[in-house]
Amino acid sequence: MVALSAAHGFAQVTGRPQAVIVHVDVGTQGLGAAVHNASCGRIPVLIFAGLSPFTQEGEMRGSRTEFIHYIQDVPDQRAIVAQYCRYTAEIKTGKNIKQMINRALSFAMSDPKGPVYLTAAREVLEEEIEPYYLDQSVWDPIGPSALPEDAVERLTDAFLEAKEPLILTGYAGRNQNATRELVKLCDSLSGIRVLDTLGSDMCFPANHPSSLGLMYGVHEHIRTADMILVIDCDVPWIPTQCKPSPTAKIYHIDIDPLKQQMPLFYISARARYRADAFTALKQINARIANSPKLLQIDVASRLNTLKIEHKQRMTEIEKLANPRGDGMVTTAYLTKRLKDTMPKDSVVILEAVTQTVAVANQLHPSEPGCIYNSGAGGLGWFGGAALGAKLGLDNGKPGSGKFVAAIVGDGTFLFAVPASVYWISRRYRIPFLTIVLNNDGWHAPLRSAKLVHPDGYAASATNEELNISFRPSPDYAGIAKAAAGGEVWAGTAHNIEELEKLLVEAVNVVRDGMSAVLDVHIVH
């Protein structure tokens, strides 16, 4: 779980594919929810696992020598992860092993990117072969696809004719150039609003007047928009909670518009296109810039409306971060203080679950690559992801890269295999800060229950009655410190006074090269 999550984080910050090696069927199962995360998050990673030897009499070098070789010989090892992978295969001879690796990586790095899985038995790995050479220049992944010319014209006209255009995105920011093209589009055609669902990467700067911030599946402007472009977004809206106007013109651009790994997905789009977000936005921008219709739009009035809306929203968000009179800590206050305390160019690994929107609002992410989410639902991703991200940002020199902070829920912390995470942090000197949002429970199931049965028994039940309480609270910081043999800074804050002192200490410790875990008890 930690290894694949680390590969996930490294690939996110660098764009380079990673490799993970695990042990036969049980090691494959040990990858756990990280395989789901890599698949949904479109992370290029090659997973290699051995197979039990397929001979037992010594017929070949590598034949079975231990009892475990019998009980780990399963009928279809690839089936354990196949539904999450872009490609799975068994390497059957060393004579074409380079071709097999290259083929797997071609799938991993071609959109929609994702994990690939290769296996080989010990007899194959023991095979002696003649060294051979491959021309790596012919093994590049499939290049990005563009919009057809008629689609560019249709989308451009739709934008120019719309009174309330809206863009929904989630992972277009995987390519930071796509974010820049999105900003360019909003600058040239004022009046566009952008909702970032943080599918995995920050897609649009929160300080831009067009920004509606971060939200999942619901927003008032989804209902009022007369033209909607969904671009690289897995869940633009949830119909039981929020629907576009039936008269809205909806268009869909995605590297995987059919969502081929989702048995159920559809939106009422007038047209859908399989295209690269950066390439498509660049095409649209070029056509809009040369359109005479652009001169007919009252740009100043539309921009002024957005600026007023944006300022009001920012004022409301700032109020949420005000300290409480009783001295207790809220998520908004904590996040605001963290942002003010850590370096300005810090990178945040966010896995706060029910607190995600509250955290993102206060972080106010405005630079591509400043905040990452798993893009999926397998909790516990943050630990490995923070390790991998820090390694990727360090460029090979320990402690040289940007400051990395992980903001996580208390349940998420437990899912992350923290004993492994913080031992690895110590062993390889990979410093990062963990902020645990300790609200004494796993609140997501209660929220889910209320969405279906708002007046049901769960709505008035206690966390203890629902078995989602974490009382008595584990010593999260102590767990990390024990795992690292004492070489992790550990602190717990119960109120604002303690937080103010400990937060500065924690940030300074990480800047000096050692990981820190700050367990903060929060109230809603």
Side-chain angles (χ1 to χ4, degrees):
M1 176 69 181
V2 179
L4 184 49
S5 297
H8 188 142
F10 195 108
Q12 274 187 296
V13 301
T14 65
R16 302 199 302 268
Q18 299 303 299
V20 174
I21 300 175
V22 295
H23 182 60
V24 293
D25 63 325
V26 289
T28 302
Q29 292 163 342
L31 295 169
V35 180
H36 159 90
N37 291 339
S39 180
C40 294
R42 298 168 180 83
I43 299 302
V45 58
L46 185 150
I47 303 166
F48 175 79
L51 293 172
S52 283
F54 53 77
T55 61
Q56 68 175 24
E57 303 281 356
E59 301 96 321
M60 301 175 69
R61 190 168 64 195
S63 191
R64 293 181 181 181
T65 53
E66 302 173 60
F67 85 97
I68 203 72
H69 292 153
Y70 292 85
I71 60 175
Q72 289 179 340
D73 185 15
V74 296
D76 189 354
Q77 185 172 302
R78 283 185 282 161
I80 299 170
V81 295
Q83 64 180 320
Y84 299 101
C85 293
R86 306 299 183 261
Y87 171 79
T88 67
E90 179 183 352
I91 299 169
K92 297 183 178 180
T93 174
K95 292 181 174 60
N96 71 343
I97 191 167
K98 295 182 181 182
Q99 290 91 334
M100 293 295 290
I101 297 293
N102 273 306
R103 176 164 170 75
L105 286 172
S106 294
F107 276 95
M109 286 296 290
S110 297
D111 285 328
K113 296 174 179 146
V116 294
Y117 182 77
L118 292 176
T119 61
R122 194 162 69 172
E123 291 90 337
V124 173
L125 299 177
E126 289 284 346
E127 182 184 353
E128 292 186 15
I129 63 171
E130 290 294 324
Y132 69 100
Y133 168 81
L134 284 188
D135 180 1
Q136 288 298 129
S137 66
V138 302
W139 286 99
D140 287 341
I142 295 172
S145 52
L147 290 171
E149 280 304 312
D150 63 328
V152 178
E153 181 179 359
R154 185 176 185 181
L155 289 165
T156 300
D157 287 346
F159 270 120
L160 292 168
E161 294 166 4
K163 303 298 182 184
E164 288 191 50
L166 172 67
I167 295 175
L168 290 133
T169 186
Y171 56 91
R174 178 70 49 79
N175 181 345
Q176 294 181 10
N177 287 324
T179 296
R180 296 183 182 99
E181 288 295 325
L182 198 51
V183 170
K184 183 178 179 180
L185 174 59
C186 293
D187 286 344
S188 62
L189 186 60
S190 294
I192 299 175
R193 296 180 176 89
V194 181
L195 186 63
D196 190 344
T197 65
L198 191 63
S200 55
D201 305 65
M202 192 213 83
C203 299
F204 195 76
N207 61 356
H208 194 284
S210 290
S211 172
L212 295 176
L214 171 69
M215 189 63 68
Y216 294 100
V218 294
H219 198 281
E220 59 187 52
H221 282 294
I222 294 175
R223 298 185 178 95
T224 61
D226 59 349
M227 182 267 181
I228 299 176
L229 173 62
V230 177
I231 183 163
D232 279 2
C233 182
D234 284 336
V235 187
W237 53 80
I238 302 170
T240 58
Q241 309 298 315
C242 175
K243 284 184 178 180
S245 164
T247 60
K249 296 179 179 179
I250 302 170
Y251 302 93
H252 188 192
I253 300 173
D254 206 295
I255 56 173
D256 179 23
L258 291 175
K259 309 297 178 187
Q260 295 180 65
Q261 291 191 295
M262 296 183 189
L264 177 63
F265 174 89
Y266 55 86
I267 58 176
S268 301
R270 300 196 175 197
R272 50 190 57 82
Y273 306 100
R274 187 187 301 275
D276 169 69
F278 166 60
T279 305
L281 288 167
K282 193 173 182 180
Q283 290 176 282
I284 293 170
N285 278 329
R287 190 172 187 93
I288 284 179
N290 295 312
S291 174
K293 294 181 181 179
L294 186 59
L295 301 174
Q296 302 170 15
I297 297 174
D298 187 352
V299 172
S301 175
R302 288 168 55 152
L303 179 58
N304 187 55
T305 298
L306 292 185
K307 285 183 175 179
I308 292 172
E309 287 181 5
H310 189 266
K311 185 177 180 179
Q312 289 175 342
R313 195 169 67 83
M314 290 299 100
T315 299
E316 292 170 2
I317 288 172
E318 288 171 8
K319 287 180 180 177
L320 293 174
N322 290 336
R324 284 170 53 116
D326 61 4
M328 301 303 290
V329 183
T330 63
T331 297
Y333 179 83
L334 165 60
T335 308
K336 177 66 165 56
R337 293 298 300 124
L338 174 64
K339 182 182 179 183
D340 292 342
T341 306
M342 64 185 181
K344 299 300 181 186
D345 63 347
S346 297
V347 172
V348 172
I349 303 298
L350 179 57
E351 197 173 25
V353 197
T354 56
Q355 299 296 304
T356 295
V357 174
V359 171
N361 280 341
Q362 298 301 327
L363 287 176
H364 206 52
S366 300
E367 292 295 329
C370 70
I371 185 170
Y372 294 93
N373 193 2
S374 70
L379 298 183
W381 160 85
F382 89 88
L387 293 169
K390 180 58 178 169
L391 281 176
L393 294 166
D394 280 353
N395 296 316
K397 185 179 179 182
S400 63
K402 295 179 179 180
F403 186 97
V404 173
I407 305 175
V408 306
D410 44 7
T412 303
F413 184 91
L414 295 174
F415 280 123
V417 197
S420 293
V421 169
Y422 295 100
W423 177 84
I424 291 171
S425 171
R426 175 200 174 181
R427 170 69 176 80
Y428 296 100
R429 300 297 174 187
I430 310 172
F432 70 97
L433 171 64
T434 305
I435 300 292
V436 181
L437 304 176
N438 187 341
N439 57 8
D440 285 325
W442 190 22
H443 289 227
L446 176 58
R447 177 176 292 186
S448 298
K450 287 181 176 179
L451 287 173
V452 182
H453 300 288
D455 301 316
Y457 291 120
S460 59
T462 66
N463 284 0
E464 283 73 18
E465 289 170 332
L466 293 172
N467 285 313
I468 59 173
S469 169
F470 289 165
R471 295 191 184 99
S473 175
D475 181 1
Y476 300 108
I479 290 170
K481 188 169 185 175
E487 293 191 33
V488 161
W489 181 95
T492 302
H494 298 87
N495 53 51
I496 289 176
E497 183 179 357
E498 292 176 352
L499 173 67
E500 292 297 333
K501 175 179 179 292
L502 295 176
L503 185 58
V504 173
E505 282 186 29
V507 170
N508 287 337
V509 163
V510 175
R511 297 182 77 168
D512 289 338
M514 185 168 72
S515 284
V517 177
L518 180 54
D519 176 4
V520 184
H521 290 254
I522 62 169
V523 293
H524 294 289

